[in-house]
Amino acid sequence: MDETQELVTNRLFKDIAVGEKSDLTEILTRDNADLLGGWQPDGAGVETASVSQSVASVWIGILVMRLVSTRFPGVGSVVRSYALTLEGGLSVGDQVVVTCQVMAKHETDALLDLSFVCVRQDGGEVARGTMQIVAPEAPQSVMMACSSFEHIVTHRRFRALCEKAAQLPVLPIAVAYPCDDLSLRSACDAAKRCLGQPILVGPKALIESVAKESGLSIEGLEIVEAEDPHTASAQAVALVRSGRARMLMKGAVHTDVLLHEVVARPTGLCGERRLSHVFVMDVPFYDRLLMISDAVVNIAPDVRAKHDIVQNVIDFAHVLGLAEPRVAILSAVETVNPAIQSTLDAAVLSKMADRKQITGGIVDGPLAFDNAVNLNAAKIKHIESPVAGQADIVIVPTLEAGNMLAKELSFLAGADAAGVVLGAKVPVILTSRADSEQARLTSCAIALIMAHGMT
């Protein structure tokens, strides 16, 4: 067994008694605070630096959710409501005990009313709150990250992808107009981590100026002169077409500008299927990587476009090592309703998979998101599906839905998101100002893995 994992078994609703308690103890480290938004020295030294209320509330929320989702009741729990009130401050080095207690049971829908209180090592109360959850009614055991906070928030699955990619031969990557700190830093970090050999396409003088201002070394990196974002995008695509580059990365250029050159005929990089994008999400409390498509390229795809989106991401999942990924076609409901087009599309796509018009994965839908990722939620609604509760891939009905889902997971659930454009002759990396360093590196890593898989 991997030392960073443990076998987690849940508690069932019928076995839980009113008044029963469970607790979890954790120390707030400087690394924890850095990961969640920082800390503020208070004059007493770094070890006692205080953290903001927002950092404290997020950290406590993570602890509470981890206690409920991995220990009590455990795997399969569904949170219906959650309320937290901060009562005191937190500093780096504080040890907090979170105690959760069952206040009431409701046989209808297997609901539990929980209260929780968080206390520092000096006895001071930090926070208290309430939750209502749907408790598991079926036994379930899964391998999950071990209980330390770092394994929850530092995205071990993303680190594993980067480590896997770093073992592969480095391939050249054309970077279109890397003329701001973020895009140039992303290219330099990729080179430093052996995830790509950047070819910088843009105004040489401007690139060198940005490198100097940002304290980045671009020594040894090739620069191809291009005067503006449009020209740089075209030049970068041309480098790929000529075989000099095997991957393409967006720099300080609008996504539409770069993709315009990618899809241009006959000078672009289009393959047999339409382009689509996939977000690869490392969600702390989900037991696998979660792929979301399409939240970037296709605004309101019809069923023909969704066919390409599904097949693109299944083929991509194979490259990442999933032999038969489980694909959930999402809608607001899990029944086919002629008034909701996305349910009709889901039914058609599922039948296309049955008839081998979509291959390589297990496809089912329509499924609401809770049913797609939570077995207990699916059980409560009496959904029998080979995908429900264990989806590797979710196909969203529109770009708006996918964009909101990915950002909700990132900003409210502590997930990190890497991404790449699929369907072109090479991987296309779209960086964002909101991406963390880990997300940018992982985007390069999956692009490198994908590039080797396309040879």
Side-chain angles (χ1 to χ4, degrees):
M1 184 183 300
D2 188 329
E3 66 179 8
T4 67
Q5 295 185 325
E6 60 182 355
L7 184 66
V8 177
T9 303
N10 59 7
R11 296 282 310 282
L12 304 186
F13 177 80
K14 66 182 180 64
D15 299 326
I16 297 172
V18 173
E20 192 171 346
K21 295 182 179 180
S22 183
D23 61 64
L24 175 71
T25 302
E26 191 69 62
I27 295 175
L28 176 59
T29 69
R30 176 179 172 179
D31 287 343
N32 300 161
D34 283 340
L35 287 164
L36 294 175
W39 45 275
Q40 181 62 48
D42 57 8
V46 168
E47 294 306 317
T48 59
S50 61
V51 298
S52 67
Q53 285 193 328
S54 62
V55 168
S57 63
V58 172
W59 186 69
I60 290 169
I62 289 174
L63 299 186
V64 173
M65 295 299 178
R66 175 153 57 85
L67 174 58
V68 169
S69 64
T70 67
R71 295 191 182 187
F72 183 75
V75 183
S77 301
V78 180
V79 177
R80 282 280 184 87
S81 63
Y82 168 73
L84 169 72
T85 302
L86 290 176
E87 304 287 347
L90 274 177
S91 296
V92 171
D94 278 343
Q95 177 175 282
V96 171
V97 179
V98 180
T99 303
C100 189
Q101 183 174 13
V102 179
M103 306 306 294
K105 294 181 66 175
H106 307 280
E107 296 295 331
T108 303
D109 290 339
L111 288 174
L112 296 179
D113 291 339
L114 307 178
S115 68
F116 60 88
V117 62
C118 308
V119 179
R120 287 192 308 266
Q121 71 279 357
D122 60 3
E125 187 173 305
V126 178
R128 61 173 52 246
T130 59
M131 299 182 75
Q132 187 176 71
I133 66 169
V134 181
E137 293 186 278
Q140 186 179 354
S141 297
V142 298
M143 296 300 301
M144 295 188 69
C146 71
S147 58
S148 70
F149 180 86
E150 286 77 6
H151 288 300
I152 294 293
V153 300
T154 56
H155 308 294
R156 62 185 178 83
R157 297 182 189 93
F158 271 12
R159 296 199 310 275
L161 283 173
C162 289
E163 290 166 3
K164 176 181 178 179
Q167 304 304 310
L168 298 172
V170 175
L171 298 176
I173 177 170
V175 188
Y177 208 74
C179 295
D180 64 1
D181 175 82
L182 174 67
S183 57
L184 188 56
R185 187 174 300 276
S186 297
C188 292
D189 286 346
K192 189 184 304 181
R193 302 294 184 92
C194 298
L195 299 176
Q197 180 59 37
I199 302 173
L200 309 178
V201 186
K204 181 176 180 180
L206 181 55
I207 292 172
E208 290 175 342
S209 175
V210 171
K212 183 177 181 180
E213 291 177 6
S214 301
L216 299 171
S217 173
I218 57 173
E219 184 179 356
L221 298 186
E222 181 181 357
I223 299 177
V224 174
E225 184 70 32
E227 62 183 7
D228 56 50
H230 292 269
T231 306
S233 297
Q235 288 272 66
V237 168
L239 286 171
V240 173
R241 285 183 60 85
S242 71
R244 288 193 58 203
R246 296 280 300 280
M247 297 177 284
L248 180 64
M249 178 188 283
K250 171 191 165 190
V253 56
H254 197 281
T255 299
D256 289 349
V257 173
L258 181 62
L259 292 186
H260 174 78
E261 299 298 333
V262 173
V263 301
R265 295 184 185 277
T267 58
L269 302 172
C270 281
E272 296 180 358
R273 293 193 291 266
R274 73 184 296 122
L275 297 184
S276 60
H277 182 273
V278 60
F279 274 122
V280 181
M281 310 290 298
D282 192 347
V283 187
F285 295 117
Y286 199 49
D287 66 347
R288 66 195 72 199
L289 288 170
L290 182 67
M291 299 171 222
I292 300 173
S293 191
D294 178 353
V296 174
V297 175
N298 295 282
I299 297 173
D302 59 16
V303 71
R304 182 177 299 178
K306 288 179 181 178
H307 166 275
D308 285 0
I309 291 169
V310 174
Q311 194 64 67
N312 280 347
V313 74
I314 288 175
D315 292 349
F316 169 74
H318 291 167
V319 172
L320 291 191
L322 289 175
E324 195 174 39
R326 299 176 189 270
V327 184
I329 313 298
L330 295 188
S331 185
V333 295
E334 60 281 342
T335 54
V336 177
N337 183 339
I340 305 177
Q341 183 62 44
S342 59
T343 68
L344 299 177
D345 291 352
V348 171
L349 292 166
S350 298
K351 180 55 67 176
M352 292 176 81
D354 290 343
R355 298 287 178 86
K356 307 303 180 185
Q357 291 172 265
I358 296 172
T359 60
I362 302 172
V363 181
D364 194 26
L367 288 169
F369 183 70
D370 57 341
N371 306 322
V373 299
N374 189 285
L375 282 170
N376 204 47
K379 181 178 181 297
I380 289 169
K381 293 189 176 182
H382 307 291
I383 297 171
E384 295 184 6
S385 164
V387 173
Q390 47 192 334
D392 301 296
I393 299 165
V394 293
I395 304 299
V396 295
T398 66
L399 179 148
E400 294 166 302
N403 188 277
M404 286 184 276
L405 174 58
K407 288 180 179 176
E408 285 162 0
L409 290 173
S410 293
F411 288 93
L412 294 180
D416 223 346
V420 65
V421 173
L422 312 174
K425 294 178 180 178
V426 299
V428 181
I429 305 163
L430 303 181
T431 55
S432 168
R433 291 185 299 274
D435 287 345
S436 68
E437 179 185 5
Q438 182 65 69
R440 295 195 302 273
L441 288 172
T442 307
S443 294
C444 295
I446 61 178
L448 181 59
I449 294 169
M450 185 178 166
H452 278 283
M454 296 170 75
T455 56

